[in-house]
Amino acid sequence: MTNLKDRQRVKWLFLFIIIYLPVQYGIVGIVGLHHSEPWPSFVFPGFRSVPIAGLQPYSHIDTEFHLYKSDGSEPVVVSGMELFQWVPRSQSRGFLRTHFFEPEEIEQYSPEMKLWLNEQICQTYPGRQFERFEVVLRETFYSRDNNGLRQDSVKTHLRTGFQLPRQSCTEERCRDWPDEKGQSGSVIESQGGSSWINP
Amino acid sequence: MDQSIKGRWESWIFDYWHPTREALALYRIFTGLFILFFLMPPADLYSHLAALPDDLFTPPPGPMMLFDRFPEAWLLHGVHWLLVLSLVAMTLGVYTRLSSLLSGLFILFLKGFIYSIGKINHDLLLAVIPLLFAFSNWGAAWSVDSVIRNKKEETAGWPLPLLALLIGFMMFTAGFPKILGGWLAFDTQAARGHFLNQYFLKERRDLLAESATGWESSVLWESLDYLTIFFEVGFILAIWRLSSARLFVCFAILFHFSTMMIMNIAFLFNFVAYAAFLNWDYVLQQIRRMEERLAGREPVRPFILKTPILWGLGLVSVFSLVKFITAFDSLVELSDLQSWELLLVSAAVPVALAGIWRSFRSDRICRYLNG
């Protein structure tokens, strides 16, 4: 590069970036504490909180969805990755943690959100009709034996849910149920009720 | 040579790399085609995003907060096709600087919405490469621009040390929290914890994953903890010389290969950035040698005796072959790892090993470490 003015600009750019990188890292750290990680930012994931002690049991928390029919039969259990198959796996855990973790948030889902969830269920189970949707957070514990890790026990941390909109699933679409007068219309029954289950 | 701080600073920026026009063109064509073939944002996601309720629009802190909902699918598809066009233009060298900048911005736009469902990925370098190398004048040769302008233009090497700085810093941000988080403690095995999360939570169970659940040696897992931190934190120290940065890029490829084998994560996005550190002049020599050999064969002479055409068609053929082979694949089935990712990352391993071999053989690193 021969142009002196250009060289000067490039030097300033480098200086700016060298100052900017640690500053933005600090901002990412502070904002990330209270909110999610800012984007775009020049950071790679740190995976700070994954160490496990050699002799301790390993455990992980999963989000499950329990789908209840009106006939009182056992619920159909579906994992987050199965219900939202379109979510890239690299994002699935974060997606579930952001939207299906806080009971208050789940109870305040908008009617639009409940309709959308019903659509997802219809696409996963075409032709089947469910009445109630529950989010269940379960922690699975593993112990070690000579053959490696073995599932030991499961603890339920959260169970919360609501009535699904009155829609029938035909093939992969949802259709509004006809109401008593024979007119179609979506009725959202917000019967929440959640509980964090103490250990 | 000026050994003052100012002199070293200027030398680092301006003497780090003196790319030839042709070497930069090779990298430009490689980058454009690699993104087009393998790293495009997933278009099948757009209709899902557009159908999401507003409750699920959770943009990460940053510019995406300027929006309040997901856009219509046609807009996302439209930008996707603009991205394709700009990448093709960048590859062919049509308005190269503009098309490179637009490619980077379109990638950011699309990724921004994809990451507004509550989880971001760390593939920013994919957008940074075209944005940064737009200023290297990588369209100075083997481009429509160069044919039209018909004059030999200067190239700039400073984007490479800047890229090295960005990668080094980003690697540091990966390694530093690990030190704070206890990865170096002998009584914990963090790599194992991370692996188990991938295995159970994300159901990544291909390649060596199944067998790794039975690896009970704490020495082995602890070694992986240490190696990870050595590599991630050490990168920032290696960026000041091209030879040592190249060595660490080779380590990075081996690191990604091992995480792919055990955790089924390829991190292919970074490979476009790592490719910038390849010795493209050496690649150019090899292509020219091949060209000379082909020149002896009469039937191909009139058409194929153009290095960029040989390079471009060669890459298109190889990438198409990789896609074709893996279209019927069953190489990986128990994870979200793609077969072509497996092939590409594996193919980079011999290149990395050769790079490491050359680094140590040439003794540059030893001299560097000894001051």
Side-chain angles (χ1 to χ4, degrees):
Chain A
M1 187 180 279
T2 46
N3 188 325
L4 274 178
K5 221 174 188 177
D6 284 348
R7 279 175 77 98
Q8 204 59 32
R9 280 193 199 133
V10 171
K11 281 192 275 183
W12 279 113
L13 174 70
F14 270 74
L15 194 62
F16 170 77
I17 298 274
I18 284 177
I19 295 167
Y20 172 76
L21 286 175
V23 170
Q24 61 100 38
Y25 187 40
I27 294 170
V28 166
I30 294 165
V31 175
L33 275 179
H34 304 285
H35 205 288
S36 56
E37 187 180 319
W39 182 91
S41 57
F42 292 99
V43 294
F44 280 146
F47 301 116
R48 181 179 172 170
S49 56
V50 292
I52 54 166
L55 297 174
Q56 276 179 3
Y58 167 73
S59 73
H60 59 80
I61 296 180
D62 290 291
T63 307
E64 282 180 358
F65 301 108
H66 291 198
L67 309 174
Y68 291 87
K69 287 180 157 186
S70 55
D71 60 6
S73 57
E74 284 292 301
V76 171
V77 179
V78 57
S79 72
M81 277 201 288
E82 284 174 282
L83 189 58
F84 308 117
Q85 286 180 19
W86 57 271
V87 177
R89 212 175 295 196
S90 59
Q91 291 177 269
S92 62
R93 191 158 155 70
F95 172 75
L96 293 170
R97 197 177 45 233
T98 305
H99 302 292
F100 301 95
F101 194 79
E102 295 294 336
E104 298 81 16
E105 194 184 323
I106 294 167
E107 284 162 26
Q108 288 169 13
Y109 282 159
S110 67
E112 186 197 8
M113 173 76 176
K114 291 180 181 178
L115 281 170
W116 177 82
L117 274 171
N118 210 23
E119 286 271 349
Q120 301 295 303
I121 295 166
C122 287
Q123 283 167 19
T124 311
Y125 299 102
R128 294 174 71 175
Q129 185 61 51
F130 296 97
E131 192 178 57
R132 186 173 167 76
F133 174 90
E134 279 190 352
V135 182
V136 180
L137 294 186
R138 285 152 60 92
E139 185 169 14
T140 310
F141 291 87
Y142 295 81
S143 57
R144 292 201 171 83
D145 60 21
N146 291 336
N147 297 319
L149 286 170
R150 290 284 169 267
Q151 188 173 322
D152 191 62
S153 58
V154 177
K155 189 161 73 178
T156 301
H157 286 286
L158 169 72
R159 183 184 287 274
T160 184
F162 49 81
Q163 297 296 115
L164 285 164
R166 292 179 62 204
Q167 288 186 312
S168 63
C169 297
T170 48
E171 295 169 354
E172 292 187 1
R173 304 294 306 163
C174 297
R175 285 189 190 151
D176 292 343
W177 273 3
D179 63 17
E180 286 170 359
K181 292 176 185 167
Q183 296 167 322
S184 67
S186 298
V187 180
I188 311 295
E189 294 175 21
S190 183
Q191 295 177 8
S194 66
S195 53
W196 274 99
I197 297 167
N198 293 321
Chain B
M1 184 185 277
D2 187 354
Q3 288 301 309
S4 66
I5 291 176
K6 191 178 170 219
R8 282 174 179 232
W9 162 251
E10 290 194 1
S11 168
W12 177 59
I13 296 173
F14 298 113
D15 298 328
Y16 194 83
W17 188 41
H18 293 287
T20 59
R21 283 184 294 275
E22 290 79 12
L24 267 174
L26 284 180
Y27 179 51
R28 184 194 81 237
I29 296 167
F30 171 84
T31 301
L33 290 174
F34 198 80
I35 298 175
L36 279 166
F37 270 83
F38 302 112
L39 298 175
M40 289 296 287
D44 55 344
L45 214 57
Y46 303 148
S47 54
H48 291 288
L49 293 180
L52 289 178
D54 292 349
D55 301 48
L56 294 181
F57 185 72
T58 38
M64 296 314 293
M65 290 179 115
L66 295 171
F67 300 89
D68 57 1
R69 61 168 65 95
F70 290 102
E72 298 291 326
W74 64 262
L75 179 63
L76 294 170
H77 281 290
V79 175
H80 186 92
W81 281 106
L82 286 174
L83 172 60
V84 171
L85 277 179
S86 58
L87 282 170
V88 170
M90 184 185 96
T91 307
L92 296 174
V94 182
Y95 294 108
T96 316
R97 180 169 290 181
L98 177 67
S99 55
S100 305
L101 292 172
L102 287 176
S103 297
L105 292 175
F106 290 146
I107 290 172
L108 286 175
F109 179 85
L110 292 170
K111 295 272 179 182
F113 282 108
I114 292 171
Y115 298 155
S116 293
I117 61 170
K119 168 71 170 67
I120 65 164
N121 283 343
H122 297 84
D123 53 6
L124 185 63
L125 287 176
L126 183 63
V128 166
I129 292 297
L131 288 174
L132 194 52
F133 278 80
F135 298 99
S136 68
N137 204 7
W138 61 353
W142 296 346
S143 62
V144 174
D145 288 349
S146 65
V147 172
I148 292 171
R149 286 179 201 149
N150 197 22
K151 64 170 186 176
K152 293 192 170 176
E153 292 178 348
E154 263 190 78
T155 57
W158 61 262
L160 195 65
L162 190 54
L163 177 64
L165 174 65
L166 294 176
I167 296 177
F169 185 82
M170 290 168 88
M171 288 289 183
F172 178 79
T173 65
F176 183 60
K178 289 185 175 75
I179 297 173
L180 298 180
W183 277 55
L184 295 179
F186 285 109
D187 55 346
T188 62
Q189 282 78 52
R192 186 175 200 199
H194 186 45
F195 157 68
L196 291 172
N197 283 345
Q198 298 298 325
Y199 184 86
F200 287 109
L201 288 173
K202 295 191 176 166
E203 298 178 10
R204 289 172 166 154
R205 296 172 183 179
D206 271 313
L207 304 172
L208 295 179
E210 188 67 47
S211 114
T213 56
W215 297 353
E216 288 295 318
S217 165
S218 54
V219 175
L220 171 73
W221 288 108
E222 194 57 36
S223 311
L224 291 178
D225 289 358
Y226 270 78
L227 279 173
T228 303
I229 288 176
F230 163 75
F231 153 69
E232 289 179 342
V233 175
F235 211 121
I236 192 87
L237 303 175
I239 64 167
W240 309 106
R241 282 178 190 234
L242 182 55
S243 52
S244 52
R246 279 184 171 147
L247 180 67
F248 264 75
V249 164
C250 294
F251 288 155
I253 291 169
L254 298 182
F255 171 77
H256 289 304
F257 176 72
S258 62
T259 51
M260 179 185 72
M261 295 305 288
I262 299 172
M263 302 184 197
N264 307 159
I265 303 169
F267 233 83
L268 200 62
F269 306 102
N270 276 16
F271 281 63
V272 180
Y274 299 155
F277 292 86
L278 264 178
N279 187 341
W280 288 102
D281 285 314
Y282 176 77
V283 177
L284 183 65
Q285 273 176 16
Q286 299 306 311
I287 295 171
R288 289 223 157 115
R289 239 182 242 177
M290 195 188 295
E291 203 180 51
E292 280 166 19
R293 257 183 267 145
L294 286 169
R297 298 177 193 171
E298 280 301 321
V300 292
R301 182 182 283 173
F303 175 66
I304 213 161
L305 273 184
K306 292 285 178 194
T307 313
I309 294 176
L310 189 65
W311 175 242
L313 288 183
L315 283 179
V316 168
S317 307
V318 170
F319 291 169
S320 303
L321 188 67
V322 169
K323 278 277 189 178
F324 180 75
I325 292 171
T326 54
F328 310 100
D329 69 274
S330 54
L331 296 173
V332 281
E333 289 177 328
L334 302 172
S335 66
D336 54 336
L337 186 69
Q338 302 293 321
S339 293
W340 43 265
E341 289 180 309
L342 173 63
L343 285 185
L344 292 169
V345 175
S346 302
V349 170
V351 179
L353 290 174
I356 293 170
W357 171 249
R358 273 174 66 96
S359 293
F360 282 105
R361 229 178 106 218
S362 65
D363 207 25
R364 280 186 210 139
I365 296 302
C366 296
R367 273 189 277 127
Y368 173 65
L369 293 175
N370 295 331

